[in-house]
Amino acid sequence: MNNYDQKFNDAIKNTNFSKLSLSEQKFIKEKAYSLNFSFQEIKQIIDIARDLTMWDEKNIIDIFPTHEQKKVVITKLKKAYQKLRSTPNSYKNFKLKNIPKEQKYTFIISDKEGFGLGLCPVASEKTRCCNLLTLDAVESCGFDCSYCSIQSFYNQNIITFNSTFSDKLKNLELDKNKTYHIGTGQASDSLMFGNREGILDALFEFAKSNPNLILEFKTKSDNIKYFLENNVPKNILCTWSLNTKTIIDNEEHLTASLQKRINAARKLADKGVKVGFHFHPIVEYENYLQEYKEVYQKLQDTFLAKEVVLVSFGTLTFIKPVIKQLRERDFKSKITQMPFVDANAKSSYPHATKVEMFKSAYNNFKDWQSDDNKVFFYLCMEDHSIWKESFGYQYSTNNDFERDMLSSYAKKLNMEFLI
Ligand code: SF4
């Protein structure tokens, strides 16, 4: 074995080289030898090859530049790859692969230390944040959204319930002189498991015994059976994460369809339960602004402003472990085919793209921004500079944001607002 054999074999360790097709492996190896690629260059080329496959684009052999100088080859290859990243995606000819047809997971009930009440896991002082508290009633999610960071925290095939959740909730003392906003939809989907292990019984009881609490259930499901069969305390809010049909069909696997989500929200609003909607992530692709506009309009045709507490907007932000996990999966997704820029140590869209999508979103809800029943709009996990350009106003601190949000929510829920 010559020196380069050793170097090449070391370079492909801990990469997705073996997941590439045999022809791609053979091609990359030949090019590595003939152009004497470095350790890092070999890794980069494997990642590029993996992304092209996942994005259902041409493969590495098709786009590989022909030149005898390595420097020229690498420069041209990176340029071709960046061009594919920065051109808005098209899902027209996109063919899904290895998408799970049904939810397969194991339920585990264990007595976990503590019970997962804490500040929103993605909150930061670097972004304008609402100081949401999150409560992990369940760990991990049965849905399979390609962009979701939960997959990098938990094993997706194991759903964990906390055997002492209900007792711990009963013993939790909140300050009676303060309004709290707690959400249960961060570490899992709030409704997809219904009242399994009595989690909804416990949470409804928690809401009843804490009238100064705004308890938010966030979901992509239409599993509202428990809410239809039980009295829902007035300080409970049900919110749906929505997206266009294009993104739901291609990137939000196993979730309820757009129409099923809207129908479920409509049924709860008919029962007097206040609802809300999260457009997070808004994804850029060909004709995306028009497709989102149609969903925004569908909401305003289906709900009255007085029934809706909030509408939030956010977009894709990736942490490295999620990108790594996506590259390891043998499936198709276009979700990382986007021009990545650094956004507070995460990867996201350029500033201008964000302003375009958020401004369009906000401007499409003009009817819900005036009069007494106005809905509370906010950007989730965004740099504070984007607010002014998108909404025309901004908060100078996270506490100001939280205060304005909770006073608006309390008013819509007919609750007293306690600072
Ligand atoms: S704005 Fe979003 S990320 Fe920030 S605390 Fe609120 S929910 Fe969490």
Side-chain angles (χ1 to χ4, degrees):
M1 183 186 279
N2 68 30
N3 287 350
Y4 195 78
D5 287 343
Q6 188 56 52
K7 187 166 123 181
F8 184 81
N9 292 337
D10 290 347
I12 63 173
K13 274 190 197 122
N14 308 322
T15 71
N16 292 305
F17 185 74
S18 61
K19 291 199 168 101
L20 300 176
S21 67
L22 291 178
S23 58
E24 285 172 318
Q25 291 181 27
K26 183 166 171 290
F27 179 83
I28 290 173
K29 193 167 184 176
E30 278 165 10
K31 289 295 176 189
Y33 277 68
S34 62
L35 292 161
N36 194 21
F37 285 147
S38 70
F39 203 88
Q40 219 32 48
E41 285 159 349
I42 294 168
K43 283 183 177 303
Q44 282 170 348
I45 291 169
I46 293 169
D47 281 348
I48 291 175
R50 198 64 190 149
D51 283 350
L52 296 176
T53 307
M54 179 169 59
W55 300 341
D56 200 27
E57 290 289 348
K58 294 186 191 132
N59 70 26
I60 188 79
I61 302 169
D62 299 334
I63 73 163
F64 206 86
T66 45
H67 200 281
E68 67 281 350
Q69 281 178 33
K70 176 172 79 169
K71 203 158 167 270
V72 177
V73 167
I74 294 291
T75 311
K76 282 189 169 182
L77 179 62
K78 283 185 179 169
K79 221 167 159 198
Y81 174 64
Q82 282 313 327
K83 187 160 177 280
L84 278 169
R85 291 208 94 121
S86 42
T87 315
N89 303 339
S90 168
Y91 282 92
K92 264 200 220 86
N93 308 316
F94 179 64
K95 290 183 284 318
L96 287 170
K97 180 187 170 196
N98 288 347
I99 300 306
K101 296 273 176 297
E102 57 172 332
Q103 294 144 348
K104 285 200 192 98
Y105 37 73
T106 312
F107 290 113
I108 291 206
I109 297 135
S110 73
D111 180 6
K112 296 188 74 75
E113 194 61 36
F115 73 125
L117 177 68
L119 192 61
C120 168
V122 283
S124 128
E125 279 304 322
K126 290 191 191 136
T127 51
R128 185 53 68 235
C129 265
C130 70
N131 301 334
L132 172 74
L133 292 177
T134 58
L135 181 58
D136 302 344
V138 183
E139 279 184 4
S140 194
C141 181
F143 293 142
D144 185 8
C145 303
S146 54
Y147 52 76
C148 180
S149 56
I150 289 181
Q151 60 187 294
S152 67
F153 294 129
Y154 304 116
N155 171 336
Q156 268 198 303
N157 304 322
I158 294 177
I159 310 292
T160 308
F161 288 79
N162 185 334
S163 58
T164 52
F165 177 70
S166 163
D167 297 337
K168 284 173 179 151
L169 213 46
K170 272 199 202 95
N171 300 329
L172 178 64
E173 292 218 4
L174 298 180
D175 172 351
K176 297 274 177 253
N177 303 310
K178 185 176 177 289
T179 296
Y180 288 82
H181 176 206
I182 297 179
T184 68
Q186 258 65 21
S188 182
D189 185 278
S190 296
L191 299 188
M192 74 174 297
F193 301 115
N195 189 34
R196 196 180 186 101
E197 304 305 322
I199 52 167
L200 295 181
D201 289 339
L203 289 162
F204 271 42
E205 206 41 56
F206 180 49
K208 270 183 229 153
S209 44
N210 293 281
N212 56 323
L213 162 68
I214 296 170
L215 186 58
E216 179 178 348
F217 292 80
K218 190 166 82 169
T219 186
K220 287 191 180 99
S221 84
D222 59 350
N223 185 7
I224 55 168
K225 187 167 172 295
Y226 185 89
F227 285 68
L228 294 177
E229 293 171 353
N230 292 275
N231 289 332
V232 183
K234 75 169 186 154
N235 55 334
I236 278 183
L237 168 59
C238 261
T239 60
W240 273 262
S241 294
L242 299 181
N243 224 308
T244 59
K245 186 174 181 320
T246 299
I247 295 300
I248 292 175
D249 292 351
N250 290 296
E251 306 290 357
E252 298 188 354
H253 310 301
L254 305 170
T255 61
S257 71
L258 175 63
Q259 198 52 51
K260 282 187 175 165
R261 297 180 207 183
I262 292 178
N263 294 349
R266 184 61 264 165
K267 283 192 190 129
L268 288 195
D270 291 340
K271 191 180 171 173
V273 178
K274 295 294 185 214
V275 296
F277 304 102
H278 299 279
F279 288 91
H280 195 172
I282 296 177
V283 179
E284 183 196 30
Y285 57 92
E286 255 175 23
N287 195 34
Y288 81 111
L289 289 176
Q290 181 52 35
E291 290 192 21
Y292 278 101
K293 189 173 175 177
E294 287 156 18
V295 183
Y296 305 147
Q297 193 51 51
K298 186 191 275 269
L299 280 190
Q300 292 166 88
D301 297 341
T302 314
F303 299 89
L304 301 172
K306 68 179 181 190
E307 297 171 320
V308 180
V309 171
L310 71 112
V311 173
S312 85
F313 309 118
T315 193
L316 295 167
T317 53
F318 288 101
I319 51 176
K320 285 206 169 66
V322 171
I323 296 170
K324 184 170 177 298
Q325 200 142 1
L326 284 171
R327 282 186 176 134
E328 286 162 2
R329 285 187 65 174
D330 186 23
F331 81 146
K332 302 269 181 181
S333 167
K334 280 189 169 294
I335 212 67
T336 58
Q337 189 177 1
M338 55 181 278
F340 275 160
V341 298
D342 178 71
N344 302 308
K346 295 174 182 146
S347 299
S348 188
Y349 287 112
H351 184 100
T353 307
K354 289 185 175 186
V355 171
E356 175 190 73
M357 56 175 67
F358 296 146
K359 204 171 176 179
S360 166
Y362 187 64
N363 290 343
N364 274 289
F365 280 99
K366 285 291 177 215
D367 296 349
W368 283 5
Q369 287 159 19
S370 54
D371 77 30
D372 242 5
N373 288 315
K374 74 178 181 194
V375 173
F376 186 80
F377 289 85
Y378 72 96
L379 295 178
C380 177
M381 201 168 54
E382 281 306 332
D383 198 278
H384 52 80
S385 64
I386 293 198
W387 280 75
K388 186 93 178 146
E389 292 176 65
S390 309
F391 283 19
Y393 62 88
Q394 63 184 17
Y395 296 101
S396 28
T397 68
N398 287 356
N399 290 346
D400 290 349
F401 174 13
E402 181 191 13
R403 203 173 301 119
D404 199 26
M405 172 190 268
L406 297 198
S407 65
S408 169
Y409 287 17
K411 186 171 174 213
K412 249 311 149 63
L413 294 162
N414 296 321
M415 292 165 62
E416 188 193 354
F417 173 52
L418 307 162
I419 296 189

mmCIF file with all atom_site columns, all heavy atoms in Angstrom, residues 120 122-124 127-132 186 378-381 401, ligand 1:
data_model
loop_
_atom_site.group_PDB
_atom_site.id
_atom_site.type_symbol
_atom_site.label_atom_id
_atom_site.label_alt_id
_atom_site.label_comp_id
_atom_site.label_asym_id
_atom_site.label_entity_id
_atom_site.label_seq_id
_atom_site.pdbx_PDB_ins_code
_atom_site.Cartn_x
_atom_site.Cartn_y
_atom_site.Cartn_z
_atom_site.occupancy
_atom_site.B_iso_or_equiv
_atom_site.pdbx_formal_charge
_atom_site.auth_seq_id
_atom_site.auth_comp_id
_atom_site.auth_asym_id
_atom_site.auth_atom_id
_atom_site.pdbx_PDB_model_num
ATOM   1   N  N   . CYS A 1 120 ? -36.855 28.046 26.365 1.00 0.00 ? 120 CYS A N   1
ATOM   2   C  CA  . CYS A 1 120 ? -36.918 27.478 25.007 1.00 0.00 ? 120 CYS A CA  1
ATOM   3   C  C   . CYS A 1 120 ? -35.507 27.088 24.556 1.00 0.00 ? 120 CYS A C   1
ATOM   4   O  O   . CYS A 1 120 ? -34.582 27.907 24.626 1.00 0.00 ? 120 CYS A O   1
ATOM   5   C  CB  . CYS A 1 120 ? -37.494 28.524 24.059 1.00 0.00 ? 120 CYS A CB  1
ATOM   6   S  SG  . CYS A 1 120 ? -37.320 28.108 22.340 1.00 0.00 ? 120 CYS A SG  1
ATOM   7   N  N   . VAL A 1 122 ? -33.961 26.840 21.911 1.00 0.00 ? 122 VAL A N   1
ATOM   8   C  CA  . VAL A 1 122 ? -33.257 27.576 20.848 1.00 0.00 ? 122 VAL A CA  1
ATOM   9   C  C   . VAL A 1 122 ? -33.245 29.071 21.103 1.00 0.00 ? 122 VAL A C   1
ATOM   10  O  O   . VAL A 1 122 ? -32.798 29.838 20.262 1.00 0.00 ? 122 VAL A O   1
ATOM   11  C  CB  . VAL A 1 122 ? -33.868 27.270 19.460 1.00 0.00 ? 122 VAL A CB  1
ATOM   12  C  CG1 . VAL A 1 122 ? -33.413 25.909 18.988 1.00 0.00 ? 122 VAL A CG1 1
ATOM   13  C  CG2 . VAL A 1 122 ? -35.373 27.382 19.453 1.00 0.00 ? 122 VAL A CG2 1
ATOM   14  N  N   . ALA A 1 123 ? -33.703 29.489 22.301 1.00 0.00 ? 123 ALA A N   1
ATOM   15  C  CA  . ALA A 1 123 ? -33.688 30.925 22.614 1.00 0.00 ? 123 ALA A CA  1
ATOM   16  C  C   . ALA A 1 123 ? -32.251 31.410 22.752 1.00 0.00 ? 123 ALA A C   1
ATOM   17  O  O   . ALA A 1 123 ? -31.356 30.633 23.069 1.00 0.00 ? 123 ALA A O   1
ATOM   18  C  CB  . ALA A 1 123 ? -34.439 31.165 23.919 1.00 0.00 ? 123 ALA A CB  1
ATOM   19  N  N   . SER A 1 124 ? -32.017 32.685 22.471 1.00 0.00 ? 124 SER A N   1
ATOM   20  C  CA  . SER A 1 124 ? -30.669 33.250 22.639 1.00 0.00 ? 124 SER A CA  1
ATOM   21  C  C   . SER A 1 124 ? -30.758 34.757 22.784 1.00 0.00 ? 124 SER A C   1
ATOM   22  O  O   . SER A 1 124 ? -31.672 35.392 22.264 1.00 0.00 ? 124 SER A O   1
ATOM   23  C  CB  . SER A 1 124 ? -29.818 32.857 21.430 1.00 0.00 ? 124 SER A CB  1
ATOM   24  O  OG  . SER A 1 124 ? -29.214 33.999 20.871 1.00 0.00 ? 124 SER A OG  1
ATOM   25  N  N   . THR A 1 127 ? -30.532 36.634 19.453 1.00 0.00 ? 127 THR A N   1
ATOM   26  C  CA  . THR A 1 127 ? -31.719 36.829 18.605 1.00 0.00 ? 127 THR A CA  1
ATOM   27  C  C   . THR A 1 127 ? -32.800 37.491 19.449 1.00 0.00 ? 127 THR A C   1
ATOM   28  O  O   . THR A 1 127 ? -32.713 37.491 20.676 1.00 0.00 ? 127 THR A O   1
ATOM   29  C  CB  . THR A 1 127 ? -32.238 35.469 18.083 1.00 0.00 ? 127 THR A CB  1
ATOM   30  O  OG1 . THR A 1 127 ? -32.390 34.584 19.189 1.00 0.00 ? 127 THR A OG1 1
ATOM   31  C  CG2 . THR A 1 127 ? -31.286 34.862 17.079 1.00 0.00 ? 127 THR A CG2 1
ATOM   32  N  N   . ARG A 1 128 ? -33.808 38.061 18.769 1.00 0.00 ? 128 ARG A N   1
ATOM   33  C  CA  . ARG A 1 128 ? -34.909 38.691 19.519 1.00 0.00 ? 128 ARG A CA  1
ATOM   34  C  C   . ARG A 1 128 ? -35.853 37.564 19.936 1.00 0.00 ? 128 ARG A C   1
ATOM   35  O  O   . ARG A 1 128 ? -36.514 36.971 19.086 1.00 0.00 ? 128 ARG A O   1
ATOM   36  C  CB  . ARG A 1 128 ? -35.596 39.730 18.637 1.00 0.00 ? 128 ARG A CB  1
ATOM   37  C  CG  . ARG A 1 128 ? -36.658 40.547 19.290 1.00 0.00 ? 128 ARG A CG  1
ATOM   38  C  CD  . ARG A 1 128 ? -36.211 41.231 20.577 1.00 0.00 ? 128 ARG A CD  1
ATOM   39  N  NE  . ARG A 1 128 ? -35.205 42.289 20.345 1.00 0.00 ? 128 ARG A NE  1
ATOM   40  C  CZ  . ARG A 1 128 ? -34.025 42.307 20.968 1.00 0.00 ? 128 ARG A CZ  1
ATOM   41  N  NH1 . ARG A 1 128 ? -33.700 41.342 21.798 1.00 0.00 ? 128 ARG A NH1 1
ATOM   42  N  NH2 . ARG A 1 128 ? -33.172 43.292 20.737 1.00 0.00 ? 128 ARG A NH2 1
ATOM   43  N  N   . CYS A 1 129 ? -35.862 37.242 21.210 1.00 0.00 ? 129 CYS A N   1
ATOM   44  C  CA  . CYS A 1 129 ? -36.591 36.054 21.672 1.00 0.00 ? 129 CYS A CA  1
ATOM   45  C  C   . CYS A 1 129 ? -37.663 36.384 22.689 1.00 0.00 ? 129 CYS A C   1
ATOM   46  O  O   . CYS A 1 129 ? -37.561 37.369 23.415 1.00 0.00 ? 129 CYS A O   1
ATOM   47  C  CB  . CYS A 1 129 ? -35.588 35.040 22.219 1.00 0.00 ? 129 CYS A CB  1
ATOM   48  S  SG  . CYS A 1 129 ? -35.140 33.860 20.942 1.00 0.00 ? 129 CYS A SG  1
ATOM   49  N  N   . CYS A 1 130 ? -38.698 35.545 22.757 1.00 0.00 ? 130 CYS A N   1
ATOM   50  C  CA  . CYS A 1 130 ? -39.902 35.816 23.562 1.00 0.00 ? 130 CYS A CA  1
ATOM   51  C  C   . CYS A 1 130 ? -39.825 35.178 24.958 1.00 0.00 ? 130 CYS A C   1
ATOM   52  O  O   . CYS A 1 130 ? -40.829 35.222 25.692 1.00 0.00 ? 130 CYS A O   1
ATOM   53  C  CB  . CYS A 1 130 ? -41.123 35.285 22.824 1.00 0.00 ? 130 CYS A CB  1
ATOM   54  S  SG  . CYS A 1 130 ? -41.189 33.494 22.762 1.00 0.00 ? 130 CYS A SG  1
ATOM   55  N  N   . ASN A 1 131 ? -38.666 34.594 25.299 1.00 0.00 ? 131 ASN A N   1
ATOM   56  C  CA  . ASN A 1 131 ? -38.495 33.981 26.638 1.00 0.00 ? 131 ASN A CA  1
ATOM   57  C  C   . ASN A 1 131 ? -39.509 32.880 26.944 1.00 0.00 ? 131 ASN A C   1
ATOM   58  O  O   . ASN A 1 131 ? -39.856 32.647 28.110 1.00 0.00 ? 131 ASN A O   1
ATOM   59  C  CB  . ASN A 1 131 ? -38.582 35.063 27.739 1.00 0.00 ? 131 ASN A CB  1
ATOM   60  C  CG  . ASN A 1 131 ? -37.544 36.133 27.576 1.00 0.00 ? 131 ASN A CG  1
ATOM   61  O  OD1 . ASN A 1 131 ? -36.474 35.886 26.979 1.00 0.00 ? 131 ASN A OD1 1
ATOM   62  N  ND2 . ASN A 1 131 ? -37.833 37.344 28.037 1.00 0.00 ? 131 ASN A ND2 1
ATOM   63  N  N   . LEU A 1 132 ? -39.959 32.209 25.904 1.00 0.00 ? 132 LEU A N   1
ATOM   64  C  CA  . LEU A 1 132 ? -40.907 31.108 26.114 1.00 0.00 ? 132 LEU A CA  1
ATOM   65  C  C   . LEU A 1 132 ? -40.302 30.062 27.055 1.00 0.00 ? 132 LEU A C   1
ATOM   66  O  O   . LEU A 1 132 ? -39.118 29.738 26.954 1.00 0.00 ? 132 LEU A O   1
ATOM   67  C  CB  . LEU A 1 132 ? -41.211 30.432 24.763 1.00 0.00 ? 132 LEU A CB  1
ATOM   68  C  CG  . LEU A 1 132 ? -42.026 29.141 24.816 1.00 0.00 ? 132 LEU A CG  1
ATOM   69  C  CD1 . LEU A 1 132 ? -43.489 29.446 25.114 1.00 0.00 ? 132 LEU A CD1 1
ATOM   70  C  CD2 . LEU A 1 132 ? -41.889 28.365 23.505 1.00 0.00 ? 132 LEU A CD2 1
ATOM   71  N  N   . GLN A 1 186 ? -42.000 21.634 21.953 1.00 0.00 ? 186 GLN A N   1
ATOM   72  C  CA  . GLN A 1 186 ? -40.605 21.756 21.491 1.00 0.00 ? 186 GLN A CA  1
ATOM   73  C  C   . GLN A 1 186 ? -39.906 20.419 21.380 1.00 0.00 ? 186 GLN A C   1
ATOM   74  O  O   . GLN A 1 186 ? -39.299 20.102 20.381 1.00 0.00 ? 186 GLN A O   1
ATOM   75  C  CB  . GLN A 1 186 ? -39.828 22.676 22.425 1.00 0.00 ? 186 GLN A CB  1
ATOM   76  C  CG  . GLN A 1 186 ? -39.633 24.079 21.873 1.00 0.00 ? 186 GLN A CG  1
ATOM   77  C  CD  . GLN A 1 186 ? -40.949 24.838 21.717 1.00 0.00 ? 186 GLN A CD  1
ATOM   78  O  OE1 . GLN A 1 186 ? -41.928 24.492 22.361 1.00 0.00 ? 186 GLN A OE1 1
ATOM   79  N  NE2 . GLN A 1 186 ? -40.993 25.801 20.832 1.00 0.00 ? 186 GLN A NE2 1
ATOM   80  N  N   . TYR A 1 378 ? -45.257 37.738 15.313 1.00 0.00 ? 378 TYR A N   1
ATOM   81  C  CA  . TYR A 1 378 ? -43.860 37.826 15.737 1.00 0.00 ? 378 TYR A CA  1
ATOM   82  C  C   . TYR A 1 378 ? -42.944 36.968 14.881 1.00 0.00 ? 378 TYR A C   1
ATOM   83  O  O   . TYR A 1 378 ? -43.389 36.062 14.179 1.00 0.00 ? 378 TYR A O   1
ATOM   84  C  CB  . TYR A 1 378 ? -43.713 37.466 17.221 1.00 0.00 ? 378 TYR A CB  1
ATOM   85  C  CG  . TYR A 1 378 ? -43.890 36.023 17.596 1.00 0.00 ? 378 TYR A CG  1
ATOM   86  C  CD1 . TYR A 1 378 ? -42.775 35.193 17.724 1.00 0.00 ? 378 TYR A CD1 1
ATOM   87  C  CD2 . TYR A 1 378 ? -45.133 35.483 17.875 1.00 0.00 ? 378 TYR A CD2 1
ATOM   88  C  CE1 . TYR A 1 378 ? -42.909 33.869 18.111 1.00 0.00 ? 378 TYR A CE1 1
ATOM   89  C  CE2 . TYR A 1 378 ? -45.297 34.164 18.267 1.00 0.00 ? 378 TYR A CE2 1
ATOM   90  C  CZ  . TYR A 1 378 ? -44.156 33.357 18.395 1.00 0.00 ? 378 TYR A CZ  1
ATOM   91  O  OH  . TYR A 1 378 ? -44.320 32.047 18.771 1.00 0.00 ? 378 TYR A OH  1
ATOM   92  N  N   . LEU A 1 379 ? -41.670 37.329 14.917 1.00 0.00 ? 379 LEU A N   1
ATOM   93  C  CA  . LEU A 1 379 ? -40.627 36.554 14.251 1.00 0.00 ? 379 LEU A CA  1
ATOM   94  C  C   . LEU A 1 379 ? -39.973 35.678 15.311 1.00 0.00 ? 379 LEU A C   1
ATOM   95  O  O   . LEU A 1 379 ? -39.667 36.153 16.406 1.00 0.00 ? 379 LEU A O   1
ATOM   96  C  CB  . LEU A 1 379 ? -39.583 37.471 13.619 1.00 0.00 ? 379 LEU A CB  1
ATOM   97  C  CG  . LEU A 1 379 ? -40.037 38.357 12.479 1.00 0.00 ? 379 LEU A CG  1
ATOM   98  C  CD1 . LEU A 1 379 ? -38.888 39.249 12.004 1.00 0.00 ? 379 LEU A CD1 1
ATOM   99  C  CD2 . LEU A 1 379 ? -40.578 37.534 11.322 1.00 0.00 ? 379 LEU A CD2 1
ATOM   100 N  N   . CYS A 1 380 ? -39.772 34.419 14.987 1.00 0.00 ? 380 CYS A N   1
ATOM   101 C  CA  . CYS A 1 380 ? -39.197 33.500 15.965 1.00 0.00 ? 380 CYS A CA  1
ATOM   102 C  C   . CYS A 1 380 ? -37.712 33.287 15.696 1.00 0.00 ? 380 CYS A C   1
ATOM   103 O  O   . CYS A 1 380 ? -37.335 32.945 14.566 1.00 0.00 ? 380 CYS A O   1
ATOM   104 C  CB  . CYS A 1 380 ? -39.919 32.153 15.900 1.00 0.00 ? 380 CYS A CB  1
ATOM   105 S  SG  . CYS A 1 380 ? -39.234 30.923 17.014 1.00 0.00 ? 380 CYS A SG  1
ATOM   106 N  N   . MET A 1 381 ? -36.893 33.542 16.725 1.00 0.00 ? 381 MET A N   1
ATOM   107 C  CA  . MET A 1 381 ? -35.464 33.243 16.657 1.00 0.00 ? 381 MET A CA  1
ATOM   108 C  C   . MET A 1 381 ? -34.741 34.019 15.562 1.00 0.00 ? 381 MET A C   1
ATOM   109 O  O   . MET A 1 381 ? -33.843 33.495 14.890 1.00 0.00 ? 381 MET A O   1
ATOM   110 C  CB  . MET A 1 381 ? -35.296 31.742 16.404 1.00 0.00 ? 381 MET A CB  1
ATOM   111 C  CG  . MET A 1 381 ? -33.966 31.177 16.787 1.00 0.00 ? 381 MET A CG  1
ATOM   112 S  SD  . MET A 1 381 ? -33.949 29.384 16.791 1.00 0.00 ? 381 MET A SD  1
ATOM   113 C  CE  . MET A 1 381 ? -34.515 28.927 15.203 1.00 0.00 ? 381 MET A CE  1
ATOM   114 N  N   . PHE A 1 401 ? -40.323 42.333 24.232 1.00 0.00 ? 401 PHE A N   1
ATOM   115 C  CA  . PHE A 1 401 ? -41.011 41.439 23.297 1.00 0.00 ? 401 PHE A CA  1
ATOM   116 C  C   . PHE A 1 401 ? -41.963 40.544 24.082 1.00 0.00 ? 401 PHE A C   1
ATOM   117 O  O   . PHE A 1 401 ? -43.165 40.461 23.788 1.00 0.00 ? 401 PHE A O   1
ATOM   118 C  CB  . PHE A 1 401 ? -39.951 40.639 22.542 1.00 0.00 ? 401 PHE A CB  1
ATOM   119 C  CG  . PHE A 1 401 ? -40.425 39.551 21.605 1.00 0.00 ? 401 PHE A CG  1
ATOM   120 C  CD1 . PHE A 1 401 ? -41.747 39.426 21.211 1.00 0.00 ? 401 PHE A CD1 1
ATOM   121 C  CD2 . PHE A 1 401 ? -39.502 38.633 21.093 1.00 0.00 ? 401 PHE A CD2 1
ATOM   122 C  CE1 . PHE A 1 401 ? -42.147 38.403 20.345 1.00 0.00 ? 401 PHE A CE1 1
ATOM   123 C  CE2 . PHE A 1 401 ? -39.894 37.621 20.224 1.00 0.00 ? 401 PHE A CE2 1
ATOM   124 C  CZ  . PHE A 1 401 ? -41.217 37.513 19.866 1.00 0.00 ? 401 PHE A CZ  1
HETATM 125 S  S1  . SF4 B 2 .   ? -38.776 33.546 19.738 1.00 0.00 ? 1   SF4 B S1  1
HETATM 126 FE FE1 . SF4 B 2 .   ? -38.821 31.402 19.168 1.00 0.00 ? 1   SF4 B FE1 1
HETATM 127 S  S2  . SF4 B 2 .   ? -36.759 30.647 19.636 1.00 0.00 ? 1   SF4 B S2  1
HETATM 128 FE FE2 . SF4 B 2 .   ? -37.034 32.548 20.734 1.00 0.00 ? 1   SF4 B FE2 1
HETATM 129 S  S3  . SF4 B 2 .   ? -37.785 31.952 22.763 1.00 0.00 ? 1   SF4 B S3  1
HETATM 130 FE FE3 . SF4 B 2 .   ? -39.551 32.409 21.484 1.00 0.00 ? 1   SF4 B FE3 1
HETATM 131 S  S4  . SF4 B 2 .   ? -40.161 30.405 20.663 1.00 0.00 ? 1   SF4 B S4  1
HETATM 132 FE FE4 . SF4 B 2 .   ? -38.062 30.182 21.398 1.00 0.00 ? 1   SF4 B FE4 1
#
